[in-house]
Amino acid sequence: MPSLPAGSWVPSVTPQDILYRGDSCTSQPLPVLPTQLSHFFVDHPEDAFGSLGKLLHQNFYLGDSKLRVSVHSGLPPCSGCPRKNLVPRLRWFSHLARDWLFEVPLGLLADCVHEDLLLQWASLLFDDSPTGGALAWLPPKDVGARTGRLVYPGGQAMNHLCILPHGVALRRGGGGREGVPYFVGVRSDYHCGVWRVPGRTGAAPTPLQVIRTSVPASCLTVSPHLPGELAVCTQSGAVYLWSVETGLQRLRHDPQTMFFRDHSPWRWSDFTAHPRVLSCADRTGLQCLDTRVSPGGCHFDLFKVGEEAGCQQGERVVLPMYLGRAYPSQHLVTTQFSVYVLDERLPLVPVLKWAHMMKAPPLFAHLTPGGPGRSHKVLLGASRTQELLLLQYRGEKRGALGPPCWGSQSACQLVGTPQKLHSVSSCLQHLPAQLPHRHRLLQQRLSAPAAGGCPAPPGGLGVLGRGQDVSWKVLVPEEAECPQEPSANPQPSPAAALRYRRWLKAFSKVCGQPPRHTRPPTFGQKRLFTRKELEEPSAPSALQGQARRWLRQAMRDGGCLQRWDPPPSALPEPPEPAEDPDPLSARLTASWCGDWDGWWEGRMSSSLAQRQRALRERRRRQKRARGRRSLSASFTSSLTYQSELSELSDPDTAPPPRREASPPLGTSPPAAATPPSPEEALLSSQSLRSRGIPKERRKTLRDYLAVWADGPPEPPELPGSQASQLCIPSSQSQLSSASQPRRKRPRMGF
Amino acid sequence: CKKGKWPLSSPVLRREKFFIFVFSGSCLAFVYGMVCLYVCMQIFSTVGSQKSKEVCLSYIQDAMLRKQWKRAAEFLTFYIESLEKDFSTEYMGPSEVIWRIGAEILCHRFHNNMKEFSSFIEQMKTLGVKRYLKVSVCLEHAFHLLCNGQIDEAYQNLSLAESWRFGEQTAIQDKEMKLIQAYRGLLDYYSWSKQKNILLEHDLSVEQEMHGCFRKAAMNLKEIIKIPGVWDLFVKCYVDLLEFYGDYSEAREVLNEYAYNSKFPANPNAHVYLYQFLKRHGESKKSLLSALKILHDIVPSHELMIDFHIMLQKSKKRKKRRLGLEVIFAVLDYAGWKENVKAWSCLARQVKQIKHLDWIKQEWDPRRDWWPAFHFSRYSAKRNWQENESLSYEKALVAGILLGKGCKAQVKRFRILKKFLNKHNPVYLRLSGLSDSSVQP
């Protein structure tokens, strides 16, 4: 039975996100436009008509009755374009990144993006992060207690550990593992923690220890033998034995895979029949490591992908598991094709092999040991396809410790046929009929990849979806005598149907609210700067103090605060009568007087003359520039020297090549001597820098301003490269050198 | 069905969607057959034939895993029909698939109706005369017959398969042929042992026939044993045959070869068989111990280690008794032996004999940090006391001596145990005295 947590669900990346550019619907062959538009009007009415309605609704007269606007309409607000919410996010990103994005070399950026896409694609095809499953069942320790506990990650980003008491009627008492408290290992990418959950149901769990890894950890398993011992693997190929009391002990560090080369950094480790021997796995096989000897000392191969086990081409280990609760020396190894049972005592030759034929590789497995003389049940679960497969197997008699392996007593074999269990998404058809959009949401939610599963007594089975729904199934044992075939889709019991409905109610309540992730994300400054950078200067400067004093004075007097720095100017001057009215008013005046035709004629002729004048002017300018360029080339040899000197004297330590790109305009002595005109001040490098405009943009800005400031009769080509050309005759050496960066050659011995 | 890739390619994704779409439509039972027919017609006509076959197979798989045998059978007939229309050259794959699926469905749907099954097999044999079916189908059919007690038919089947000469001969086929011969030898051994029982009831008329069986079985079994592999069953039968006729040297050679040939996988059973053989023939203690020593090196947790320990303790040599202590400590390291009374009593006896306390100390030191939590936790003490009192006594004794005062807290609750422990307390005092003295110099 799914239970809803408070958080809403973050949809995961889909293949379409990577394969198709932009909206997925545009990549499909387009139908005729009218059909498409009509679909759009029907499917997205608020996008089509909403804005117009909003504009006009104040002007509608709807009688004298009160206008009621229902805030919560039946349709969820997210039914518009699915990419809509990405736009503000992108804008925020560009706002954040505009300062530095230009400095990243494009090739490098492209490489990074490509690499990330590859990673995302690989994780779409096969995501090994949920290996091992994220749902555990802790059976009750007290004989009288009837509630065990479910442990699973919750929250929006699966960042909470939920321990949920779950009541079941207990048929078999006892059970469980050694040691009164349970130890629960919790793994995230860079942190592993261990919790101690007391055996009594009421007691609160306590965190014991947390370790941080510099490389993502791929495995954390809890020892079935000794309390407080865990095995940790990282993606760099390190295997540790982690004891809460004594800390970490590194058993191996090998970035290479064990038997042949494989690119996957995934590693796994589990315990074996000997509490001091750990099994260690990568995609190519399993080895057993003895922790009592020095690292790399004593080990033996337990399983190797290859001929001994009859493996196929391309077969890789997906999940190893120690089956100690059924037989002390057996291990389960699943690959994407088969399931193997191995015995430590006869390594390399599987005791049992079975092709599971699942569509996705099984990522979590769970063992329920049967009692003496009964078969053991193994639950295999795939993540993406939500497949669940129940196997039963039987090997040698438990506790008899007969001759090892198989052969003499009874061979390890599957009992009965494996059974496929209904996936979580298959309960969709048992839910009452829904509105189409809600049906789609439901479908999305229920078909989220499974993150874990575990059987729990009696005959129950929990499955955790990525959407943090824990669904609960009850397995009804089938009678062997019953010849009647179970129907294709057995109807749920009335109780289950009721629960479905209750869950649906909770789900629709959550869906009614706008999904959280559609809100534009906010960026806190605190995240961008360190605390130190944000700290205000401890003592206020003299100016601030003065300003405060003035402010206080003004408040006391009840007068108005005036500017203190320059002397207060007089009243603003009235706007001067415009000598030349702007074209619009001239035109209006003309048409008002009925002389519009004349105005038009004059305008045409004047504009023609203007254009001709402008063209002539430009040609002349170009000619002049050409002449100067040839001149400047002859100057450079003598000029570079001085420019380099000034560079050296410049206390700002910027790398020389970049200095070439942006000349230190403001630092030149003549420029400093005469106060720059407003435009020059605007365009000077320092002022640009102080405004946070990146170097690459400064030139663009100058060019732009040059065009914009074309009108005034002052030297129009002041900014940019042309400005520097103008300046050359007046021997402003730095400017000229900066305008000719290519001429600069490195000089030996300088 | 096995055509997966790593990592999974995207066509799988697409197939799933299709799958779900089709399945949600076919809920009602009475329109069921029609829907199946419709679906199959649809998929066979619209989608490419390869694709449709894949989809069909996935339906069959789904039906079988949900134990809907009738539905699976219907889909299988569609699958076969689609194959008949398809004139592609790829013939071997589908025939294996049909064989496997068909056999599984028949076994469950008709509850092992042998007649149905035999007719299916005959059809299969005519369907695919290519190399796969010739060998494997026969072997699997023979297993099926054996499971249903039809040993003579199985034997006939195997002989038929052996005489079959069709298609090209490959290396794999050669191996499979060896396997068929070996299983035939096994059946010969079976009839031989039956006749042996008759013979032992003083009916000498079967002797001739029995000898014939022996020769056939020995010849076939001998062949397979030469190939490196795990052949426990065949080796045991072959040795039994040889022993009956008194050919001990040959039997010993076979067992030695099986145990010590480095080409064979390290198989603890080989050493067990050798040890049992040596023991049966009253071999010297030295050879028995050497066989067990190797077994100890391979599998320290083997059940024969108790025997090994007892034998070593009886020895007069210091070195061997030292090894005996090592063996019993190593056995108790393993989770499977945690609650074995015999092992604990062996260790308790060792610890009680206060002869070599330094040995005990040497064994105990590397285990000092984890044995208390592994064996002597409060929880396990409580459970042992509830489930098996004698085990509790033995463990308490060992714990009392090895842990000293730390142990007393663990058994505080059980008054009887406490009394029992106090009786043996002097041993602990000596052990602790020894450890003190070892620190002092």
Side-chain angles (χ1 to χ4, degrees):
Chain A
M1 176 57 214
S3 64
L4 274 180
S8 67
W9 170 61
V10 183
S12 50
V13 187
T14 57
Q16 282 80 11
D17 289 345
I18 291 179
L19 279 185
Y20 304 127
R21 283 200 167 172
D23 205 342
S24 58
C25 43
T26 52
S27 60
Q28 289 159 3
L30 295 175
V32 218
L33 184 70
T35 340
Q36 213 189 355
L37 264 184
S38 68
H39 282 166
F40 176 70
F41 291 151
V42 172
D43 292 343
H44 309 284
E46 68 269 42
D47 286 347
F49 309 112
S51 50
L52 195 67
K54 259 181 217 158
L55 278 177
L56 295 180
H57 90 269
Q58 285 184 337
N59 302 323
F60 279 131
Y61 176 65
L62 298 169
D64 289 332
S65 63
K66 256 190 177 177
L67 185 69
R68 275 185 197 170
V69 181
S70 65
V71 179
H72 291 285
S73 63
L75 293 169
C78 57
S79 60
C81 175
R83 300 286 186 278
K84 197 172 63 183
N85 53 42
L86 288 180
V87 176
R89 225 187 275 190
L90 279 176
R91 289 183 57 188
W92 272 101
F93 179 74
S94 70
H95 173 77
L96 266 185
R98 67 176 179 198
D99 279 350
W100 51 265
L101 200 61
F102 290 90
E103 303 195 358
V104 181
L106 277 182
L108 188 69
L109 193 67
D111 280 351
C112 289
V113 170
H114 185 245
E115 195 183 330
D116 188 57
L117 275 179
L118 273 183
L119 277 178
Q120 295 227 24
W121 181 242
S123 77
L124 261 180
L125 288 178
F126 178 66
D127 183 13
D128 60 14
S129 61
T131 307
L135 182 71
W137 163 256
L138 309 180
K141 280 284 167 67
D142 314 333
V143 182
R146 296 190 143 229
T147 51
R149 274 161 293 177
L150 274 179
V151 183
Y152 61 94
Q156 199 164 3
M158 291 189 136
N159 50 355
H160 300 286
L161 184 70
C162 307
I163 298 178
L164 183 79
H166 188 90
V168 286
L170 201 71
R171 274 189 207 152
R172 278 200 309 275
R177 291 177 310 193
E178 299 289 316
V180 176
Y182 287 105
F183 287 84
V184 177
V186 182
R187 164 171 68 93
S188 69
D189 269 358
Y190 292 97
H191 292 90
C192 294
V194 55
W195 289 66
R196 181 190 158 102
V197 184
R200 282 178 296 118
T201 27
T206 47
L208 291 181
Q209 253 180 24
V210 177
I211 53 167
R212 198 168 67 86
T213 56
S214 54
V215 188
S218 61
C219 155
L220 179 70
T221 44
V222 182
S223 170
H225 308 299
L226 295 171
E229 274 199 1
L230 300 100
V232 185
C233 291
T234 65
Q235 290 190 351
S236 63
V239 182
Y240 297 91
L241 177 68
W242 177 20
S243 167
V244 173
E245 281 170 16
T246 59
L248 289 168
Q249 181 193 352
R250 191 163 84 179
L251 307 179
R252 152 178 299 200
H253 183 82
D254 187 8
Q256 302 292 321
T257 44
M258 288 185 290
F259 300 111
F260 51 87
R261 194 182 292 264
D262 188 89
H263 66 274
S264 171
W266 176 85
R267 300 286 185 279
W268 194 261
S269 179
D270 210 333
F271 289 83
T272 65
H274 195 297
R276 279 286 166 267
V277 177
L278 261 68
S279 73
C280 158
D282 58 29
R283 295 271 178 238
T284 64
L286 260 85
Q287 271 186 348
C288 288
L289 302 172
D290 198 330
T291 63
R292 292 166 298 180
V293 290
S294 58
C298 179
H299 60 82
F300 66 91
D301 302 342
L302 182 58
F303 178 75
K304 207 192 281 186
V305 171
E307 212 175 327
E308 286 101 330
C311 294
Q312 286 183 50
Q313 185 95 32
E315 193 161 350
R316 295 287 183 272
V317 174
V318 174
L319 173 74
M321 191 174 74
Y322 174 50
L323 295 176
R325 288 161 72 208
Y327 302 109
S329 61
Q330 285 186 351
H331 292 256
L332 179 85
V333 173
T334 62
T335 66
Q336 70 269 43
F337 303 125
S338 302
V339 175
Y340 301 87
V341 176
L342 291 150
D343 198 302
E344 278 167 45
R345 297 169 293 185
L346 181 53
L348 294 174
V349 184
V351 181
L352 177 78
K353 177 182 176 177
W354 182 69
H356 57 67
M357 289 182 280
M358 287 164 84
K359 291 187 193 81
L363 272 186
F364 49 87
H366 210 285
L367 171 80
T368 311
R374 293 173 60 137
S375 61
H376 309 284
K377 283 141 197 93
V378 176
L379 178 80
L380 296 176
S383 171
R384 192 170 44 78
T385 53
Q386 295 188 344
E387 286 166 286
L388 285 173
L389 210 59
L390 189 69
L391 309 180
Q392 301 184 51
Y393 89 104
R394 182 183 287 164
E396 57 178 305
K397 259 188 274 169
R398 186 180 188 173
L401 285 163
C405 324
W406 39 289
S408 50
Q409 277 205 342
S410 67
C412 191
Q413 57 182 333
L414 285 181
V415 184
T417 49
Q419 200 171 355
K420 188 177 190 174
L421 307 178
H422 285 278
S423 62
V424 178
S425 55
S426 68
C427 76
L428 187 68
Q429 53 191 315
H430 303 310
L431 296 171
Q434 298 287 318
L435 286 171
H437 68 272
R438 193 164 282 169
H439 182 85
R440 205 183 59 222
L441 282 176
L442 255 180
Q443 200 176 16
Q444 225 175 36
R445 172 93 174 211
L446 289 178
S447 56
C454 71
L461 172 74
V463 178
L464 175 71
R466 287 275 178 88
Q468 289 123 49
D469 296 318
V470 178
S471 58
W472 198 256
K473 298 169 197 222
V474 177
L475 305 180
V476 184
E478 262 176 58
E479 295 298 319
E481 304 294 315
C482 179
Q484 185 193 353
E485 287 196 350
S487 61
N489 296 299
Q491 289 301 311
S493 64
L498 190 72
R499 279 185 191 161
Y500 276 148
R501 222 162 281 153
R502 214 178 290 159
W503 176 81
L504 201 64
K505 218 172 170 183
F507 177 74
S508 58
K509 212 179 272 174
V510 172
C511 281
Q513 300 161 1
R516 277 184 202 172
H517 59 270
T518 55
R519 281 185 211 157
T522 52
F523 292 92
Q525 266 193 323
K526 282 177 189 167
R527 300 291 164 92
L528 293 177
F529 302 102
T530 60
R531 185 183 291 264
K532 214 171 180 182
E533 281 170 325
L534 279 180
E535 243 176 31
E536 302 232 336
S538 53
S541 67
L543 199 65
Q544 278 174 332
Q546 200 187 2
R548 273 185 203 158
R549 243 176 289 130
W550 269 330
L551 192 66
R552 254 183 238 122
Q553 179 70 37
M555 282 166 77
R556 221 178 296 135
D557 298 346
C560 79
L561 183 70
Q562 288 173 335
R563 285 171 64 195
W564 53 88
D565 218 359
S569 63
L571 283 173
E573 289 168 19
E576 287 173 23
E579 299 142 9
D580 212 18
D582 60 318
L584 181 66
S585 46
R587 176 182 160 197
L588 284 175
T589 319
S591 60
W592 189 253
C593 303
D595 191 24
W596 191 80
D597 280 354
W599 176 84
W600 181 244
E601 292 282 313
R603 164 98 186 141
M604 285 303 286
S605 59
S606 74
S607 70
L608 194 70
Q610 220 170 14
R611 234 180 293 160
Q612 277 171 350
R613 213 183 313 137
L615 200 67
R616 218 173 293 140
E617 176 77 6
R618 205 168 66 197
R619 269 196 209 132
R620 208 183 41 188
R621 230 183 284 152
Q622 278 173 352
K623 223 183 263 176
R624 212 161 39 170
R626 222 176 292 139
R628 287 222 180 93
R629 198 173 295 146
S630 56
L631 195 65
S632 73
S634 64
F635 271 94
T636 42
S637 56
S638 61
L639 289 174
T640 41
Y641 165 71
Q642 204 177 349
S643 76
E644 278 176 15
L645 253 186
S646 73
E647 260 175 45
L648 283 172
S649 62
D650 190 13
D652 280 355
T653 53
R658 278 167 67 183
R659 189 148 293 275
E660 284 173 18
S662 65
L665 272 176
T667 54
S668 60
T674 56
S677 69
E679 271 164 17
E680 276 172 345
L682 183 71
L683 296 174
S684 78
S685 170
Q686 265 186 346
S687 70
L688 289 182
R689 200 189 304 159
S690 69
R691 277 158 202 262
I693 294 169
K695 285 171 184 166
E696 281 74 12
R697 275 204 167 177
R698 282 176 207 155
K699 189 180 172 297
T700 323
L701 187 65
R702 275 188 215 111
D703 292 348
Y704 173 75
L705 283 175
V707 174
W708 180 71
D710 224 6
E714 307 290 311
E717 312 92 342
L718 181 71
S721 55
Q722 288 171 346
S724 65
Q725 284 158 16
L726 261 184
C727 295
I728 288 166
S730 59
S731 81
Q732 287 193 2
S733 59
Q734 283 165 325
L735 292 181
S736 81
S737 77
S739 70
Q740 306 285 336
R742 283 166 296 138
R743 308 277 174 172
K744 187 177 155 193
R745 283 184 300 267
R747 260 196 230 169
M748 296 299 288
F750 190 80
Chain B
C1 293
K2 288 183 187 173
K3 268 185 212 160
K5 278 174 207 156
W6 178 270
L8 292 166
S9 54
S10 48
V12 183
L13 297 174
R14 269 182 270 133
R15 194 176 64 192
E16 269 167 21
K17 274 185 199 159
F18 191 66
F19 183 108
I20 290 162
F21 154 68
V22 173
F23 254 85
S24 56
S26 62
C27 332
L28 296 172
F30 65 93
V31 286
Y32 178 65
M34 285 175 67
V35 169
C36 285
L37 186 67
Y38 174 74
V39 165
C40 281
M41 278 169 60
Q42 281 278 313
I43 54 183
F44 286 152
S45 56
T46 54
V47 197
S49 87
Q50 191 59 39
K51 185 105 191 158
S52 68
K53 273 185 269 177
E54 267 178 37
V55 174
C56 197
L57 276 179
S58 76
Y59 290 169
I60 296 173
Q61 186 202 346
D62 187 72
M64 286 173 72
L65 285 173
R66 292 179 200 276
K67 300 192 180 177
Q68 299 161 356
W69 305 113
K70 185 159 173 271
R71 198 170 128 228
E74 279 166 26
F75 276 120
L76 183 63
T77 49
F78 285 124
Y79 180 69
I80 296 170
E81 275 170 25
S82 80
L83 281 183
E84 280 166 2
K85 285 175 200 158
D86 181 26
F87 297 105
S88 64
T89 49
E90 195 188 3
Y91 213 57
M92 195 202 85
S95 60
E96 177 183 350
V97 169
I98 293 170
W99 155 244
R100 292 212 179 278
I101 295 173
E104 193 73 26
I105 293 173
L106 277 176
C107 276
H108 289 96
R109 178 140 172 72
F110 297 104
H111 303 284
N112 277 335
N113 185 333
M114 293 309 292
K115 207 173 138 195
E116 294 264 358
F117 201 81
S118 300
S119 71
F120 173 67
I121 288 208
E122 288 311 312
Q123 277 181 15
M124 283 312 296
K125 281 175 186 167
T126 50
L127 180 73
V129 210
K130 295 280 171 74
R131 63 181 178 85
Y132 169 75
L133 289 172
K134 182 179 107 182
V135 183
S136 296
V137 170
C138 286
L139 198 55
E140 281 166 34
H141 187 204
F143 285 152
H144 183 250
L145 290 169
L146 280 176
C147 286
N148 289 287
Q150 301 181 339
I151 294 158
D152 294 340
E153 282 87 344
Y155 190 84
Q156 273 175 19
N157 218 313
L158 287 177
S159 333
L160 202 70
E162 225 177 318
S163 63
W164 209 328
R165 294 270 174 270
F166 260 116
E168 70 271 38
Q169 205 85 3
T170 59
I172 303 164
Q173 210 179 349
D174 205 38
K175 260 187 195 169
E176 278 178 342
M177 197 55 94
K178 283 259 164 56
L179 207 60
I180 283 185
Q181 283 170 358
Y183 274 104
R184 203 162 60 90
L186 202 66
L187 289 181
D188 282 323
Y189 168 79
Y190 176 75
S191 51
W192 173 84
S193 64
K194 260 204 307 196
Q195 282 155 1
K196 186 180 84 178
N197 288 340
I198 299 168
L199 186 79
L200 291 177
E201 287 163 11
H202 307 290
D203 183 2
L204 296 175
S205 60
V206 290
E207 199 180 347
Q208 193 68 31
E209 200 185 331
M210 188 176 143
H211 199 72
C213 282
F214 157 71
R215 255 183 296 142
K216 277 193 277 183
M219 192 180 70
N220 284 329
L221 291 175
K222 198 178 172 182
E223 282 302 305
I224 191 102
I225 288 167
K226 283 178 190 163
I227 306 167
V230 180
W231 308 121
D232 289 358
L233 198 60
F234 303 128
V235 167
K236 265 183 97 173
C237 296
Y238 187 50
V239 168
D240 191 27
L241 285 174
L242 292 175
E243 273 185 293
F244 185 81
Y245 290 102
D247 195 352
Y248 299 130
S249 62
E250 168 80 6
R252 183 198 295 264
E253 201 179 311
V254 164
L255 284 173
N256 270 323
E257 174 80 4
Y258 190 53
Y260 296 121
N261 191 342
S262 58
K263 280 180 190 164
F264 283 67
N267 184 353
N269 279 354
H271 299 279
V272 173
Y273 297 151
L274 183 64
Y275 167 75
Q276 284 167 346
F277 176 81
L278 294 174
K279 203 176 170 188
R280 272 200 300 273
H281 296 285
E283 292 286 328
S284 68
K285 217 161 206 181
K286 198 181 162 193
S287 55
L288 287 180
L289 284 179
S290 71
L292 283 178
K293 175 77 176 65
I294 293 172
L295 188 63
H296 169 70
D297 291 342
I298 302 174
V299 184
S301 62
H302 199 274
E303 73 152 4
L304 282 176
M305 290 304 113
I306 296 288
D307 295 1
F308 188 37
H309 166 76
I310 292 168
M311 281 165 74
L312 286 171
Q313 286 310 313
K314 281 180 192 159
S315 162
K316 281 182 187 132
K317 282 186 188 165
R318 226 178 118 81
K319 210 173 153 189
K320 283 191 178 158
R321 291 171 58 173
R322 174 75 220 270
L323 181 65
L325 194 69
E326 261 179 57
V327 166
I328 196 69
F329 263 105
V331 157
L332 283 170
D333 278 351
Y334 283 87
W337 288 87
K338 269 183 90 169
E339 279 148 29
N340 190 294
V341 187
K342 201 167 179 190
W344 278 108
S345 71
C346 283
L347 183 62
R349 203 180 309 134
Q350 281 294 300
V351 175
K352 257 193 291 181
Q353 298 169 357
I354 325 154
K355 280 181 188 164
H356 295 288
L357 287 181
D358 53 334
W359 291 355
I360 295 179
K361 196 176 168 323
Q362 276 170 19
E363 288 299 321
W364 174 243
D365 273 344
R367 293 176 172 88
R368 191 185 288 276
D369 56 334
W370 60 278
W371 263 39
F374 186 50
H375 285 306
F376 308 129
S377 72
R378 200 175 177 142
Y379 176 76
S380 68
K382 186 178 161 191
R383 215 179 64 178
N384 289 154
W385 181 250
Q386 283 165 353
E387 287 171 5
N388 192 342
E389 255 180 63
S390 57
L391 172 69
S392 232
Y393 280 123
E394 303 291 353
K395 272 179 86 168
L397 179 62
V398 174
I401 292 165
L402 295 176
L403 291 176
K405 277 180 186 155
C407 143
K408 273 210 220 159
Q410 315 237 345
V411 290
K412 205 169 17 182
R413 304 172 62 179
F414 315 110
R415 213 180 298 152
I416 312 161
L417 267 184
K418 201 177 170 185
K419 249 188 228 167
F420 172 76
L421 208 64
N422 279 335
K423 213 168 76 186
H424 295 280
N425 220 15
V427 186
Y428 161 66
L429 292 177
R430 286 198 203 182
L431 188 65
S432 58
L434 181 92
S435 64
D436 289 346
S437 66
S438 68
V439 171
Q440 276 167 6

